[in-house]
Amino acid sequence: MSESLTFHYDVDGEDFTSAGQASVQVKKNLRRLGIAPDIIRQVSIAMYEGEINMVIHAGGGEADVIVSEDKIDIILADHGPGIADIELAMQEGYSTAPDSVRSLGFGAGMGLPNMKRYMDEMTIDSTVGVGTTIKMTVYLNR
Amino acid sequence: MYAHSVELDVSKCTGCTTCIRHCPTEAIRIRNGHAVINEERCIDCGECIRLCPNNAKRAMCSKFEHYQHYKWKIALPAPALYGQFDGLEDVDTVLQGLLDIGFDDVFEVASAAELVTEYTRLYLKTEGIKKPVISSACPAVVRLISLRYPYLRDNIMPILPPIEIAAALARKKAKEEHPDFDDGDIGIFFISPCPAKVSYIRNGFGDYKSKIDVVVSLKDIYFMLMGVLKRGTSPKVSSNAGMIGIGWASSGGEASAILNDKYLAADGIENINKVLDAIENGNIPQLEFVELNACPGGCVGGVMTIENPYIARTRLQSVRRYLPVSLNRLPADMHYIPDSFCSNELPKYMPISRLSESFSESMRMMSEIQKIRDMLPGIDCGACGSPSCRAFAEDIVRGTAEISKCCVLKNAAETGDTDDGK
C-alpha cells in the first residue's frame, strides 16, 4: 500500500468557540482507520493546540492531516504575523497572547512545547508578516 | 453478545428519520421502511425512545406481577422516583406505597449512594490514581467511554454503582432477618429510570454479574403507586437517606457531595462528548472528579420517568430541604474501600467505528468514502436511511447501502438539474 489519505480542515479564525472542531473530526477519522488510541490522542492534542494557536495569533488557517502506511503528518499553515523568534516561542511559558485571550484560560505558553512533546518530529517555518507553517510527524509502530 | 434493552415496535415505526439523526453513536438506520438498531454501537442511552414521535421505541423491562414467586420481594427505588409526585412531603409515603403494592421490604438506592459518596472521598485521596476520576454510576457513559474514549477507561472510578451496593446490602439484610430463606427465595427488584441501567443489570460488567434479579420500569411502578399513595396516614417505614443520597437523582448531586470544589458535572450526551474530548486533550486541568449523566438533568431525566426532569428536580429540593445531610456514614476508623464495593475490571475497548481490521483496507475504504461523500449533496436529509451524507457514504462502502437510495441525486438525474445544492 502506497496511497496516503489526506483530511483537510479550514480553521475559522473568526470564531473562538469553534476552535478544536478539526481536532475532534480528526479523532473520528483516525478511529475509523483503526489507529491505536494513544496515537489518536497524541495527534488530537497537537491538532488542538495548533488550531488554538491559529485562532489566537493568525486569524485562522488550514490544517491537513496526511495518513500514510507508517506515519501521520500534520501540516498547519496560516497567513498570520509569523513568529519572530522561534526558539523563544518554543520555551514553556512564553506567550504573546493578548490578555483578553489569557482571561479565557488560553495563552499559557504551552501550545508549541506541547505539540513538540506529543509528536515525533516538528518543524516550524515562519516569516514575519507572511505566515507560519508547522509540520509535525508521528510514526506508527505497527 | 451485549443484550440491549431498547426495542422497536415495527408496527408503530413509520420510518421517519427522527431517531437516526439524533442517535449519538449513529447506531440506527432506516431499512425496509423502519428503524434498525446496530447492537454493537448502541449505548442504551434512550435518546431514540425520548424523541420517537410515534412511540415506536421502548425499553424492555420486566413486569412486577410476573415475579410473584419470590417469597421475599425487595424494592430498590432509584431516588428519581421521589421526584415524580406532586406535593410529596416525605419519602416515607412512597416507601409505604411500595409495601402496599406488594413488596415485602424496601432498600433505597439513595442510601447506598451515600455510602458510595463516602468511599469516593476516600478513593480521591488514594495515591497514584488517574485524575480526574470519572463517576461509574451512569452505564451509558461507561459504555460510551469504552467505545470512544479508550484512553479514559482507567479514569472511571472502580467503585460499583449504588444500585449494586444497594442490592448486596439488601440481600444481606434479608438473610440476617430471615435466616430460613434460601437465596432463591429473595428477589431484588430495581425500579429503574432508564434503559441503560436495565442493560447494565442484564449484561453485568466483564466478569461481574449484577446482584439485581428483576428490573421494573419506574413508570410502571409509578402507576401502581398512584392507586395506593395516601397522604396524611402515617407510614410504617422510614427513609434511610439524607440530602446527599436523594441529590444523586439529578445532575451535580453526586459530584457536589464529595466536598471538593474541583469537580465538573455534565449531562446530555452531546455535552458529555465535549467534556470527554476536553479531558482527553488535557484542556481541563486540576479537575478531581467528573460526574456525567447521559440523560438531561441527570437520572430524573431518564426515559422511564414520568415528570419533566427540571420539575422533578424542583420537587426533590422540597423533599430534601429538612433532611439531614447524610444518614450513611463510614466509621471514623474506616480507611479503605472493601473489595465487595469495587469492580476491578476496566471496560473493554471496542473499536466499533473501525472500518476494517486491516489498516490498508481501512485506508482504501476511507478513500472511497471521501470520493462518494464528495458526490453526495451534503444536506444530511436522512431520506436514504443513514443519519448523514458522510454516514451514507460509509454505509455504501461497507456494502450496507446503495447510492441509488439518494433521492437528491436521483432527482437531479431525472430532471437534468446538475445544481447539487453545494
Side-chain angles (χ1 to χ4, degrees):
Chain A
M1 183 198 69
S2 55
E3 292 278 299
S4 63
L5 265 175
T6 303
F7 303 108
H8 178 82
Y9 306 95
D10 290 315
V11 178
D12 184 359
E14 300 289 302
D15 185 1
F16 219 104
T17 55
S18 69
Q21 277 181 1
S23 143
V24 170
Q25 289 307 318
V26 164
K27 230 195 284 201
K28 286 185 182 164
N29 282 325
L30 296 184
R31 276 200 292 257
R32 289 178 186 124
L33 293 175
I35 304 284
D38 51 332
I39 302 269
I40 296 181
R41 178 169 170 266
Q42 284 167 264
V43 172
S44 165
I45 293 175
M47 273 290 288
Y48 178 82
E49 298 287 4
E51 264 184 89
I52 295 288
N53 280 349
M54 288 199 281
V55 175
I56 295 177
H57 300 284
E62 291 178 26
D64 284 292
V65 177
I66 305 148
V67 184
S68 335
E69 195 174 1
D70 58 340
K71 62 176 182 168
I72 300 173
D73 293 308
I74 304 169
I75 298 164
L76 305 166
D78 69 54
H79 302 290
I83 304 170
D85 186 338
I86 292 175
E87 208 175 309
L88 189 60
M90 286 302 297
Q91 279 179 24
E92 290 190 7
Y94 177 82
S95 176
T96 57
D99 286 346
S100 59
V101 170
R102 286 171 193 254
S103 66
L104 292 168
F106 297 104
M110 291 304 292
L112 288 174
N114 247 346
M115 287 154 73
K116 193 175 170 65
R117 202 173 121 209
Y118 286 104
M119 292 288 111
D120 294 325
E121 283 166 18
M122 175 163 131
T123 55
I124 303 177
D125 185 7
S126 187
T127 310
V128 173
V130 178
T132 302
T133 299
I134 297 181
K135 190 181 171 203
M136 298 178 280
T137 304
V138 65
Y139 291 97
L140 308 170
N141 315 312
R142 53 188 64 252
Chain B
M1 195 67 199
Y2 194 84
H4 288 280
S5 45
V6 175
E7 68 176 352
L8 178 81
D9 181 343
V10 178
S11 68
K12 284 186 179 171
C13 178
T14 62
C16 83
T17 58
T18 307
C19 60
I20 60 170
R21 283 182 288 117
H22 289 93
C23 172
T25 59
E26 294 191 340
I28 315 176
R29 298 291 183 273
I30 305 292
R31 297 284 180 257
N32 303 319
H34 61 80
V36 178
I37 304 174
N38 177 330
E39 302 204 346
E40 278 193 322
R41 285 175 169 255
C42 174
I43 58 170
D44 297 286
C45 66
E47 207 55 30
C48 55
I49 300 180
R50 196 189 318 279
L51 293 166
C52 178
N54 306 303
N55 292 319
K57 294 267 176 56
R58 62 185 169 222
M60 285 182 270
C61 270
S62 304
K63 295 281 177 201
F64 178 49
E65 51 273 27
H66 296 165
Y67 290 86
Q68 297 302 313
H69 61 278
Y70 287 108
K71 284 188 194 154
W72 192 252
K73 297 178 284 297
I74 311 172
L76 266 52
L81 177 67
Y82 314 149
Q84 308 303 312
F85 307 95
D86 187 24
L88 184 74
E89 277 170 18
D90 71 71
V91 170
D92 301 352
T93 316
V94 178
L95 304 185
Q96 180 63 48
L98 290 170
L99 298 181
D100 293 344
I101 61 171
F103 285 104
D104 300 294
D105 198 4
V106 179
F107 195 103
E108 292 172 89
V109 176
S111 77
E114 294 189 336
L115 285 175
V116 173
T117 292
E118 293 270 310
Y119 284 119
T120 303
R121 292 181 196 150
L122 269 184
Y123 181 69
L124 287 172
K125 289 182 196 146
T126 314
E127 294 271 335
I129 55 168
K130 201 168 158 207
K131 300 271 177 78
V133 170
I134 300 175
S135 164
S136 58
C138 178
V141 169
V142 173
R143 195 163 156 82
L144 180 72
I145 292 174
S146 71
L147 298 181
R148 277 206 194 156
Y149 299 94
Y151 179 76
L152 300 177
R153 285 178 307 150
D154 45 357
N155 291 62
I156 300 173
M157 187 163 73
I159 300 175
L160 287 170
I163 50 170
E164 289 302 320
I165 300 205
L169 295 175
R171 182 170 290 274
K172 190 166 162 252
K173 179 174 172 258
K175 284 170 107 174
E176 280 164 11
E177 290 173 2
H178 304 276
D180 49 317
F181 284 160
D182 289 335
D183 263 329
D185 294 333
I186 302 168
I188 312 265
F189 292 67
F190 173 56
I191 302 172
S192 180
C194 71
K197 289 199 169 76
V198 180
S199 301
Y200 175 92
I201 290 161
R202 292 174 63 190
N203 294 283
F205 186 81
D207 286 338
Y208 178 82
K209 294 279 165 280
S210 173
K211 295 190 171 63
I212 290 159
D213 302 304
V214 184
V215 194
V216 290
S217 150
L218 193 148
K219 207 177 256 187
D220 286 355
I221 297 294
Y222 171 85
F223 287 116
M224 292 168 80
L225 284 172
M226 287 312 277
V228 300
L229 280 203
K230 296 179 206 78
R231 279 165 200 153
T233 56
S234 37
K236 290 183 209 71
V237 275
S238 60
S239 169
N240 184 37
M243 291 174 88
I244 285 181
I246 294 173
W248 271 65
S250 46
S251 178
E254 177 191 2
S256 60
I258 58 165
L259 307 178
N260 180 325
D261 58 4
K262 291 175 190 143
Y263 73 80
L264 180 154
D267 50 282
I269 298 275
E270 202 183 323
N271 292 322
I272 289 172
N273 275 323
K274 285 190 174 145
V275 168
L276 291 173
D277 278 320
I279 295 173
E280 195 168 57
N281 285 6
N283 300 335
I284 323 180
Q286 280 139 31
L287 267 186
E288 287 279 313
F289 188 79
V290 177
E291 173 192 338
L292 303 170
N293 291 293
C295 294
C299 295
V300 282
V303 292
M304 277 139 69
T305 62
I306 303 281
E307 193 48 89
N308 169 283
Y310 303 97
I311 295 173
R313 182 186 195 139
T314 298
R315 288 181 179 166
L316 288 174
Q317 282 162 20
S318 21
V319 173
R320 288 169 78 214
R321 189 180 301 140
Y322 299 110
L323 295 182
V325 173
S326 171
L327 289 172
N328 296 273
R329 285 277 163 80
L330 298 182
D333 57 350
M334 187 70 181
H335 295 301
Y336 69 97
I337 307 164
D339 281 349
S340 59
F341 278 56
C342 293
S343 148
N344 291 318
E345 217 163 325
L346 282 183
K348 203 169 148 237
Y349 175 41
M350 291 168 284
I352 41 125
S353 50
R354 192 170 62 175
L355 293 166
S356 158
E357 284 181 26
S358 141
F359 178 58
S360 52
E361 178 62 5
S362 296
M363 291 279 281
R364 186 197 65 76
M365 289 171 80
M366 182 63 97
S367 149
E368 199 68 14
I369 291 168
Q370 285 183 328
K371 273 182 218 143
I372 295 172
R373 191 185 180 182
D374 287 344
M375 290 157 57
L376 296 174
I379 59 170
D380 297 342
C381 68
C384 60
S386 302
S388 64
C389 291
R390 195 219 62 79
F392 181 48
E394 182 176 325
D395 291 345
I396 294 168
V397 173
R398 283 182 187 269
T400 58
E402 281 165 33
I403 197 159
S404 61
K405 290 275 184 207
C406 177
C407 52
V408 178
L409 283 186
K410 208 170 170 184
N411 191 32
E414 277 166 13
T415 59
D417 179 6
T418 51
D419 176 14
D420 59 4
K422 268 190 274 197

